[in-house]
Amino acid sequence: MHGPASPGWLLVALCAASGAYCLLRMRSGVEEQRRAAGSEALMGFAMAAMAVPAAVFTPPAWAWPCYAAVFGVAALHSLRRARTSAHHLHHSVGSAAMVYMSVVMTLSPGSPGGHHHAHGGSGTPLLTGALLLYFAGYVLLTGARLVPAVAAPGGGGGGAGWGDRPELARACRLSMGMAMVAMLLTL
């Protein structure tokens, strides 16, 4: 990211915290939640690594093709699983966005270390715009779903463990969606 390092560090903290919570969600008793949490933990930690300010750490040139390969496989895996759950389709779009950002960083002249150095116009404007629209819409929809229609008596969710709290999972997804918008804006 260009500009002061503070927004980059805030993005690192947000994505790392989301990844850490997703690891906690992997302890859920529901297999589908565990699988989704694993994908989201990978995304959260990878986004945190991508957001580290370039002044602190510049990834080696081989890191971006590795990111593209890992998230290409993740996108295909999520796409295959999308037949059973529409949320996996979102995972495919997120993984494809990570592939896109990694490819842009690989091909970006004068950008040896990552999207932190992107100075506009380095990505395909139409694809970047489409991804921005998708993730902005996702953030708005997920944020709206967090607003309770009617508060449950007694505070709700009392016996649920950390891995089985849908509102926390939505908040985690919301924060990663906002982080994706921020990262796409830097392309």
Side-chain angles (χ1 to χ4, degrees), residues 98-144:
M98 293 291 280
V99 169
Y100 171 64
M101 289 188 290
S102 299
V103 168
V104 168
M105 293 307 98
T106 300
L107 302 175
S108 207
S111 179
H115 79 276
H116 320 288
H117 297 286
H119 295 292
S122 59
T124 306
L126 185 61
L127 185 52
T128 303
L131 287 169
L132 277 169
L133 283 175
Y134 173 81
F135 282 103
Y138 180 80
V139 164
L140 292 173
L141 182 63
T142 303

Side-chain angles (χ1 to χ4, degrees), residues 24 26 31 42 47 53 86 92 109 115 125 129 136 158 175 178 182 184:
L24 284 175
M26 288 180 70
E31 183 178 345
L42 172 67
M47 289 172 66
S92 291
H115 79 276
S175 64
M178 290 186 301
L184 286 165

Side-chain angles (χ1 to χ4, degrees), residues 1 11 115 132 177-187:
M1 297 193 136
L11 198 55
H115 79 276
L132 277 169
M178 290 186 301
M180 188 66 80
V181 169
M183 293 174 130
L184 286 165
L185 284 172
T186 65
L187 289 181

Side-chain angles (χ1 to χ4, degrees), residues 25 32-41 87-88 91 173:
R25 286 183 37 229
E32 183 60 31
Q33 287 181 20
R34 285 193 308 269
R35 287 184 183 165
S39 297
E40 291 166 359
H87 185 68
H88 288 290
H91 286 184
R173 292 176 186 136

Side-chain angles (χ1 to χ4, degrees), residues 15-16 18-19 22 36-50 67 71 74-75 78 90-99 101 135 176-177 179-180 183:
C15 293
S18 294
C22 290
S39 297
E40 291 166 359
L42 172 67
M43 181 72 73
F45 289 127
M47 289 172 66
M50 288 177 98
Y67 262 75
F71 281 99
S78 293
H90 170 70
H91 286 184
S92 291
V93 174
S95 293
M98 293 291 280
V99 169
M101 289 188 290
F135 282 103
M176 286 196 293
M180 188 66 80
M183 293 174 130

